Amino acid sequence: MYDSLQKILALGDQAIIYPAHGAGSVCGSGMAEREFSTVGHERVNNPRLQMTDREAFIQFKVSENHYQPPYFRLMERLNMEGGDAPPPVMRPCHLSLKQLQSCTADHLIDIREPMAYAAGHFPRSMSLPVGMISAFAGWFIREGESMVLIASDEEQLATAIEGSRHIYVGQLNERWHELDKNHHYTLMCASGARATVAAGWLVSRGFDNIDIYLGSMGAWKAGHD
């Protein structure tokens, strides 16, 4: 590592560096939350580059104590031995509530947003938002273990978007009369803030069957790309 750093430093201060890991990763220590840096910036500000004695650098790195996820050993083995090809169809099949209740999977993983999990979740399920799977799934799920992923109901949402209506939240003070109080509405906007305002207004007018799509339009688009 010391020798590699010297080669990088020799590129010159103008050279741009793109790190392979981000801040908070277990693959490094004290990594800055930047998408890129330069050799010149790191030469001045990185404490490890101030160490000019090779043996002292080695001793310092050897004495560091990093958390090592259990899947690191699995990755090492697969890198050396190779692994089986993934199945051609990666999308899991849908389970009914009855099937979910009787399943014997090792893990029930709720991949919805944290607020959705906090509002209500399936018994024995753990929260692991989809954006955090790559960072933390390997800490909890071992090789060969089975899992069930719990997400929002895509089929129900697809049916509701097909019959959607666009009403600007500022116009609900008058146009709420156009809506049926016996109907079930799921409200969406670009961020979730206006949907929450709209939901509060409708509830105050006697609408009981109101939901807010958590994560709103951004989450909907991300889940259907």
Side-chain angles (χ1 to χ4, degrees), residues 101-116:
Q101 290 172 330
S102 60
C103 78
T104 58
D106 297 305
H107 303 277
L108 302 179
I109 312 294
D110 193 320
I111 63 173
R112 300 175 301 158
E113 291 189 341
M115 288 300 294

Side-chain angles (χ1 to χ4, degrees), residues 121-182:
H121 55 268
F122 194 81
R124 298 186 297 109
S125 65
M126 65 172 289
S127 176
L128 189 59
V130 65
M132 302 176 71
I133 288 178
S134 59
F136 290 102
W139 287 91
F140 302 99
I141 304 171
R142 307 286 179 166
E143 182 181 12
E145 292 181 337
S146 59
M147 72 189 80
V148 168
L149 303 181
I150 301 174
S152 300
D153 189 338
E154 294 182 4
E155 294 180 352
Q156 181 182 20
L157 290 173
T159 302
I161 294 305
E162 291 176 1
S164 65
R165 299 181 59 180
H166 178 261
I167 301 178
Y168 178 61
V169 61
Q171 298 176 343
L172 272 180
N173 61 336
E174 297 178 356
R175 294 187 61 186
W176 68 271
H177 296 286
E178 303 174 14
L179 304 177
D180 184 355
K181 290 185 178 181
N182 296 318

Side-chain angles (χ1 to χ4, degrees), residues 79-93:
N79 286 337
M80 295 295 293
E81 302 175 1
D84 297 329
V89 179
M90 295 294 292
R91 182 177 180 137
C93 62

Side-chain angles (χ1 to χ4, degrees), residues 184-225:
H184 187 172
Y185 293 101
T186 297
L187 307 184
M188 300 179 68
C189 69
S191 65
R194 284 167 292 179
T196 303
V197 173
W201 173 260
L202 292 177
V203 169
S204 72
R205 292 299 179 268
F207 286 77
D208 296 325
N209 299 318
I210 298 294
D211 292 325
I212 300 173
Y213 185 71
L214 294 174
S216 218
M217 192 60 71
W220 168 258
K221 290 180 178 179
H224 289 77
D225 286 341

Side-chain angles (χ1 to χ4, degrees), residues 38-57:
T38 65
V39 169
H41 178 87
E42 297 301 324
R43 190 194 304 272
V44 174
N45 297 282
N46 194 316
R48 305 299 169 258
L49 295 181
Q50 313 304 320
M51 304 179 67
T52 58
D53 184 275
R54 188 176 188 273
E55 290 304 318
F57 180 91

